[in-house]
Amino acid sequence: MKNKITLGFCLIGILLSACKTEPDAKAVKEEVLNIHDKLMIDGGKVMTNKMKLDSVLKSGKMKSPQDSVKIADLIENLNQADERMMDWMHGFKDDFKGKTELEDLNYYKSEMVKIRKVEDDYIKVTKASDSALKEYHVVPATKMNMEHHKH
């Protein structure tokens, strides 16, 4: 009887350990692509805010020389965030095929880290540019505005 119970627990343990608790490469890839799709919309906001800040800078209505430097720095940061997104997209292999499932999983996990960094950059730079635009009574781009302009 004791052996049957032990055997039963062993079988349950084997079955539970056979269940995947970690996502597979396909699931991670899908999440990476979903983040990419969201960032494409955010990228439109980044570029619209850049153009609006450029207009503010060229307007000559700066409150101080330091504000001119701040706006120019924000424009540069927006450009850099957009360039990092472009660099990531050019380096991403949508059709990556490793030798094993683990290699595929590791590749897409590493891409997840990279795309999350781009996402963090976008969040920081859009918050900063939104604030600067509001200081000059310019309405920052919104996702809704960007969706409306999609063709």
Side-chain angles (χ1 to χ4, degrees), residues 9 17-18 36 62 92 100 122 125 141:
F9 281 122
S17 68
H36 163 266
M62 295 292 112
F92 179 70
T100 66
Y122 268 29
V125 77

Side-chain angles (χ1 to χ4, degrees), residues 37-52 78 82 85-86 122 126 140-143 145-147 149-150:
D37 292 348
K38 176 192 166 294
L39 290 179
M40 291 302 294
I41 294 168
D42 293 348
K45 178 178 170 61
V46 164
M47 295 317 297
T48 300
N49 276 6
K50 178 189 130 0
M51 290 185 291
K52 288 182 176 192
L78 288 161
D82 185 57
M85 177 63 174
M86 293 300 137
Y122 268 29
T126 54
T142 63
K143 285 185 183 180
N145 290 359
M146 299 314 303
E147 293 281 344
H149 286 81
K150 232 178 168 180

